Amino acid sequence: MRQSSTHAEGTRRRVRHAGELGWDDSLYEGADGGEAEGEGGEGEGGDRPPHGPDGRGGAPRGRRGRRRILRWSATALAALILGTAGVGYLYYEHLNANIKKADLNLGDHKAARPTPNAAGQTPLNILLIGSDARDSKENQALGGAKETFGAPPLADVQMLLHLSADRRNMSVISIPRDTLMKIPKCTDPENGKVYRATVLPMMTNESLGRGGPGCTVAAWEELTGIHIDHFMLVDFAGVVSMADAIGGVPVCVDANIYSHSSDGKGSGLKLTKGTHPVKGEQALQWLRTRYGFEDNTDIGRTKAQHMYMNSMVRELRENATLGNPQKLRSLAEEATAALTVDRGLDTVKKLYDLSNELKKVPTERITMTTMPWQWAVSDRNRVEPKPEDAEKLFRLVREDIALDGKDKKKPSRAEKTPDDPAAADEEIAVQVRNATRTETLAPVGSRASSVAQVLAGKGFTSATAEPGAASAQPKTVVRYPSADMEGDAWAVAKALGIPTSSVQRSTEVSGVTLIVGGDWREGDAYPKARAEDDKIPDSADALNGSNKKACMRVNPAFTW
């Protein structure tokens, strides 16, 4: 029988709270769950469409539409990774027993590890996941509708934390929870159930219910090409308890706000204009508020989560009270009890070491971003990655380029040699795909055939053109499915003058595949690459970690 809806190892044993260990805890201010989402209507966090161009959802009611899911932010995990330094010696085995574990990556695809820098250092990428799991009385009390108890969890907050190889800067990328994307094949480690790769795009938050957090990791690697080293997952009750243990996080609104409507929508957040410290359930309300911020969309909610995370980091570093052992004990107790992690982070010692690495980064070198997005063509109530801007942001992280633009110019790296040697050119079967369509131009006719002939002229006589035109691809890339074809893919790229940064491993292809993009619509020679712009796209909506003046814009319909 399934023990946890987040697919962690085993059944969590009863964990003693701080008071039972002789600590004066007093973490919770109330146990009634605060203002409910309402017994009728969609509710704040329901799985109905979160927004459209007009800020209103429009999908039909359904089982998920009745769930009234509370939304919150995995940014609360910063309390753990930045605050537990110094408490690793406390009740080591007790705290270790608090932590639940799950597999890191449940997909077949594994993104390539980054190449070490000249000093032998490599970046560190951690996926922070917020789960809406209803697998405990505490979560159910905070989560609303009773009929949702035990339902598959959703990964409603997803943030990739990137720590640079030299540990001098940190970048965070959020993906809106209603982003449409293809979810790769995942195998549930508990029962062996295989979830096939989706043919049509689906909401990214559904990945968690397809085997556990390892499927969310697999989906991220497939989308971004970024190798993920670890994940950390926390649930409703964990957000509340950690926020209390911290003692409050300052947040700001530019007007009075009451996130509540006559038809039951809203988180219940009620604040007056200005800056306020929030904790416990009020912190959870802030993190899940959509109705009341900006245009009532998930994008505004993401901005609020970024502000909260930045403020939390500053609070943990500047607040002297966190040097109090009792404060640290409470934080360590609540944080470890709230976590599900991969086996690379499954002890207090490992988390302590991680916190020390993260603390090396000054707040002014932390950059929060949102994945550049556009309204989805297939569903105007959902979003999808904005092709060129999103890929640019992902590339900057893959290449460990600081998003704040303050890095010194890095020396050019020696070209990596593929682990697998290439076969003879004439033996390499290459599929050539026409993806030259752009936002304003139709695909070039017979472009795949033309490029296949160019390859044949260079000795790749087994190159063939796929019929028809594929979906738009801004940049020409060479993809391969497995390590034994890496050398072949590099050989194709080298013959055509395509940069090796455009050679990608992907389970979406079955063999070496050349995808001719919008940057090569004509000519036999691949266009000489321009010097790549390493400036972060404006559409990423960057927020610097040291910005103390950030304030959420309140929607006029939700002020008082």
PDB file of all heavy atoms in Angstrom, residues 481-499:
ATOM      1  N   PRO A 481      20.164  10.613 -28.788  1.00  0.00           N
ATOM      2  CA  PRO A 481      19.406  10.034 -27.681  1.00  0.00           C
ATOM      3  C   PRO A 481      20.209   9.391 -26.567  1.00  0.00           C
ATOM      4  O   PRO A 481      19.723   9.255 -25.454  1.00  0.00           O
ATOM      5  CB  PRO A 481      18.533   8.994 -28.376  1.00  0.00           C
ATOM      6  CG  PRO A 481      19.374   8.545 -29.528  1.00  0.00           C
ATOM      7  CD  PRO A 481      20.131   9.748 -29.988  1.00  0.00           C
ATOM      8  N   SER A 482      21.441   8.955 -26.850  1.00  0.00           N
ATOM      9  CA  SER A 482      22.177   8.184 -25.847  1.00  0.00           C
ATOM     10  C   SER A 482      23.675   8.414 -26.000  1.00  0.00           C
ATOM     11  O   SER A 482      24.156   8.898 -27.033  1.00  0.00           O
ATOM     12  CB  SER A 482      21.858   6.687 -25.988  1.00  0.00           C
ATOM     13  OG  SER A 482      22.120   6.245 -27.308  1.00  0.00           O
ATOM     14  N   ALA A 483      24.411   8.037 -24.946  1.00  0.00           N
ATOM     15  CA  ALA A 483      25.843   8.327 -24.892  1.00  0.00           C
ATOM     16  C   ALA A 483      26.615   7.697 -26.046  1.00  0.00           C
ATOM     17  O   ALA A 483      27.615   8.258 -26.507  1.00  0.00           O
ATOM     18  CB  ALA A 483      26.411   7.851 -23.558  1.00  0.00           C
ATOM     19  N   ASP A 484      26.143   6.553 -26.556  1.00  0.00           N
ATOM     20  CA  ASP A 484      26.894   5.887 -27.613  1.00  0.00           C
ATOM     21  C   ASP A 484      26.773   6.598 -28.965  1.00  0.00           C
ATOM     22  O   ASP A 484      27.418   6.197 -29.935  1.00  0.00           O
ATOM     23  CB  ASP A 484      26.459   4.424 -27.742  1.00  0.00           C
ATOM     24  CG  ASP A 484      24.982   4.292 -28.082  1.00  0.00           C
ATOM     25  OD1 ASP A 484      24.230   5.273 -27.893  1.00  0.00           O
ATOM     26  OD2 ASP A 484      24.572   3.203 -28.522  1.00  0.00           O
ATOM     27  N   MET A 485      25.956   7.659 -29.033  1.00  0.00           N
ATOM     28  CA  MET A 485      25.832   8.432 -30.277  1.00  0.00           C
ATOM     29  C   MET A 485      26.377   9.850 -30.121  1.00  0.00           C
ATOM     30  O   MET A 485      26.281  10.658 -31.045  1.00  0.00           O
ATOM     31  CB  MET A 485      24.366   8.505 -30.713  1.00  0.00           C
ATOM     32  CG  MET A 485      23.790   7.170 -31.141  1.00  0.00           C
ATOM     33  SD  MET A 485      22.119   7.359 -31.821  1.00  0.00           S
ATOM     34  CE  MET A 485      21.721   5.639 -32.189  1.00  0.00           C
ATOM     35  N   GLU A 486      26.959  10.139 -28.962  1.00  0.00           N
ATOM     36  CA  GLU A 486      27.468  11.488 -28.723  1.00  0.00           C
ATOM     37  C   GLU A 486      28.555  11.866 -29.729  1.00  0.00           C
ATOM     38  O   GLU A 486      28.530  12.949 -30.323  1.00  0.00           O
ATOM     39  CB  GLU A 486      28.018  11.604 -27.298  1.00  0.00           C
ATOM     40  CG  GLU A 486      28.527  12.997 -26.952  1.00  0.00           C
ATOM     41  CD  GLU A 486      29.115  13.072 -25.549  1.00  0.00           C
ATOM     42  OE1 GLU A 486      29.497  12.008 -25.014  1.00  0.00           O
ATOM     43  OE2 GLU A 486      29.203  14.189 -25.006  1.00  0.00           O
ATOM     44  N   GLY A 487      29.513  10.970 -29.947  1.00  0.00           N
ATOM     45  CA  GLY A 487      30.592  11.266 -30.888  1.00  0.00           C
ATOM     46  C   GLY A 487      30.074  11.495 -32.293  1.00  0.00           C
ATOM     47  O   GLY A 487      30.568  12.375 -33.020  1.00  0.00           O
ATOM     48  N   ASP A 488      29.060  10.717 -32.715  1.00  0.00           N
ATOM     49  CA  ASP A 488      28.468  10.892 -34.049  1.00  0.00           C
ATOM     50  C   ASP A 488      27.840  12.276 -34.182  1.00  0.00           C
ATOM     51  O   ASP A 488      27.990  12.936 -35.211  1.00  0.00           O
ATOM     52  CB  ASP A 488      27.403   9.822 -34.295  1.00  0.00           C
ATOM     53  CG  ASP A 488      27.976   8.411 -34.291  1.00  0.00           C
ATOM     54  OD1 ASP A 488      29.219   8.273 -34.374  1.00  0.00           O
ATOM     55  OD2 ASP A 488      27.188   7.451 -34.217  1.00  0.00           O
ATOM     56  N   ALA A 489      27.129  12.698 -33.144  1.00  0.00           N
ATOM     57  CA  ALA A 489      26.474  14.008 -33.185  1.00  0.00           C
ATOM     58  C   ALA A 489      27.504  15.127 -33.276  1.00  0.00           C
ATOM     59  O   ALA A 489      27.324  16.099 -34.022  1.00  0.00           O
ATOM     60  CB  ALA A 489      25.591  14.185 -31.951  1.00  0.00           C
ATOM     61  N   TRP A 490      28.583  14.994 -32.522  1.00  0.00           N
ATOM     62  CA  TRP A 490      29.636  16.009 -32.583  1.00  0.00           C
ATOM     63  C   TRP A 490      30.275  16.056 -33.966  1.00  0.00           C
ATOM     64  O   TRP A 490      30.626  17.131 -34.461  1.00  0.00           O
ATOM     65  CB  TRP A 490      30.698  15.722 -31.518  1.00  0.00           C
ATOM     66  CG  TRP A 490      30.294  16.178 -30.142  1.00  0.00           C
ATOM     67  CD1 TRP A 490      29.176  15.823 -29.458  1.00  0.00           C
ATOM     68  CD2 TRP A 490      31.009  17.080 -29.304  1.00  0.00           C
ATOM     69  NE1 TRP A 490      29.146  16.428 -28.239  1.00  0.00           N
ATOM     70  CE2 TRP A 490      30.257  17.206 -28.102  1.00  0.00           C
ATOM     71  CE3 TRP A 490      32.212  17.758 -29.427  1.00  0.00           C
ATOM     72  CZ2 TRP A 490      30.675  18.027 -27.052  1.00  0.00           C
ATOM     73  CZ3 TRP A 490      32.631  18.569 -28.363  1.00  0.00           C
ATOM     74  CH2 TRP A 490      31.871  18.698 -27.210  1.00  0.00           C
ATOM     75  N   ALA A 491      30.428  14.904 -34.587  1.00  0.00           N
ATOM     76  CA  ALA A 491      31.034  14.871 -35.919  1.00  0.00           C
ATOM     77  C   ALA A 491      30.168  15.624 -36.930  1.00  0.00           C
ATOM     78  O   ALA A 491      30.679  16.352 -37.789  1.00  0.00           O
ATOM     79  CB  ALA A 491      31.226  13.422 -36.369  1.00  0.00           C
ATOM     80  N   VAL A 492      28.851  15.454 -36.833  1.00  0.00           N
ATOM     81  CA  VAL A 492      27.936  16.167 -37.728  1.00  0.00           C
ATOM     82  C   VAL A 492      28.043  17.676 -37.513  1.00  0.00           C
ATOM     83  O   VAL A 492      28.137  18.458 -38.462  1.00  0.00           O
ATOM     84  CB  VAL A 492      26.489  15.681 -37.507  1.00  0.00           C
ATOM     85  CG1 VAL A 492      25.504  16.561 -38.271  1.00  0.00           C
ATOM     86  CG2 VAL A 492      26.347  14.229 -37.934  1.00  0.00           C
ATOM     87  N   ALA A 493      28.026  18.091 -36.234  1.00  0.00           N
ATOM     88  CA  ALA A 493      28.120  19.518 -35.923  1.00  0.00           C
ATOM     89  C   ALA A 493      29.423  20.118 -36.435  1.00  0.00           C
ATOM     90  O   ALA A 493      29.441  21.205 -37.032  1.00  0.00           O
ATOM     91  CB  ALA A 493      27.982  19.726 -34.413  1.00  0.00           C
ATOM     92  N   LYS A 494      30.521  19.392 -36.236  1.00  0.00           N
ATOM     93  CA  LYS A 494      31.827  19.899 -36.658  1.00  0.00           C
ATOM     94  C   LYS A 494      31.890  20.041 -38.166  1.00  0.00           C
ATOM     95  O   LYS A 494      32.433  21.034 -38.699  1.00  0.00           O
ATOM     96  CB  LYS A 494      32.927  18.969 -36.165  1.00  0.00           C
ATOM     97  CG  LYS A 494      34.334  19.455 -36.467  1.00  0.00           C
ATOM     98  CD  LYS A 494      35.383  18.521 -35.859  1.00  0.00           C
ATOM     99  CE  LYS A 494      36.788  19.030 -36.154  1.00  0.00           C
ATOM    100  NZ  LYS A 494      37.829  18.129 -35.575  1.00  0.00           N
ATOM    101  N   ALA A 495      31.325  19.097 -38.900  1.00  0.00           N
ATOM    102  CA  ALA A 495      31.353  19.146 -40.364  1.00  0.00           C
ATOM    103  C   ALA A 495      30.601  20.354 -40.909  1.00  0.00           C
ATOM    104  O   ALA A 495      30.969  20.913 -41.959  1.00  0.00           O
ATOM    105  CB  ALA A 495      30.764  17.859 -40.934  1.00  0.00           C
ATOM    106  N   LEU A 496      29.561  20.774 -40.207  1.00  0.00           N
ATOM    107  CA  LEU A 496      28.734  21.892 -40.682  1.00  0.00           C
ATOM    108  C   LEU A 496      29.102  23.228 -40.054  1.00  0.00           C
ATOM    109  O   LEU A 496      28.551  24.266 -40.429  1.00  0.00           O
ATOM    110  CB  LEU A 496      27.260  21.599 -40.390  1.00  0.00           C
ATOM    111  CG  LEU A 496      26.653  20.409 -41.132  1.00  0.00           C
ATOM    112  CD1 LEU A 496      25.256  20.123 -40.623  1.00  0.00           C
ATOM    113  CD2 LEU A 496      26.635  20.681 -42.643  1.00  0.00           C
ATOM    114  N   GLY A 497      30.015  23.210 -39.102  1.00  0.00           N
ATOM    115  CA  GLY A 497      30.404  24.456 -38.447  1.00  0.00           C
ATOM    116  C   GLY A 497      29.419  24.900 -37.378  1.00  0.00           C
ATOM    117  O   GLY A 497      29.390  26.074 -36.996  1.00  0.00           O
ATOM    118  N   ILE A 498      28.612  23.970 -36.888  1.00  0.00           N
ATOM    119  CA  ILE A 498      27.653  24.288 -35.820  1.00  0.00           C
ATOM    120  C   ILE A 498      28.378  24.221 -34.477  1.00  0.00           C
ATOM    121  O   ILE A 498      29.108  23.267 -34.221  1.00  0.00           O
ATOM    122  CB  ILE A 498      26.481  23.287 -35.842  1.00  0.00           C
ATOM    123  CG1 ILE A 498      25.724  23.395 -37.173  1.00  0.00           C
ATOM    124  CG2 ILE A 498      25.537  23.506 -34.669  1.00  0.00           C
ATOM    125  CD1 ILE A 498      24.687  22.312 -37.379  1.00  0.00           C
ATOM    126  N   PRO A 499      28.234  25.214 -33.615  1.00  0.00           N
ATOM    127  CA  PRO A 499      28.964  25.201 -32.332  1.00  0.00           C
ATOM    128  C   PRO A 499      28.573  24.010 -31.471  1.00  0.00           C
ATOM    129  O   PRO A 499      27.418  23.560 -31.486  1.00  0.00           O
ATOM    130  CB  PRO A 499      28.557  26.526 -31.669  1.00  0.00           C
ATOM    131  CG  PRO A 499      27.294  26.936 -32.345  1.00  0.00           C
ATOM    132  CD  PRO A 499      27.389  26.425 -33.748  1.00  0.00           C
TER     133      PRO A 499
END
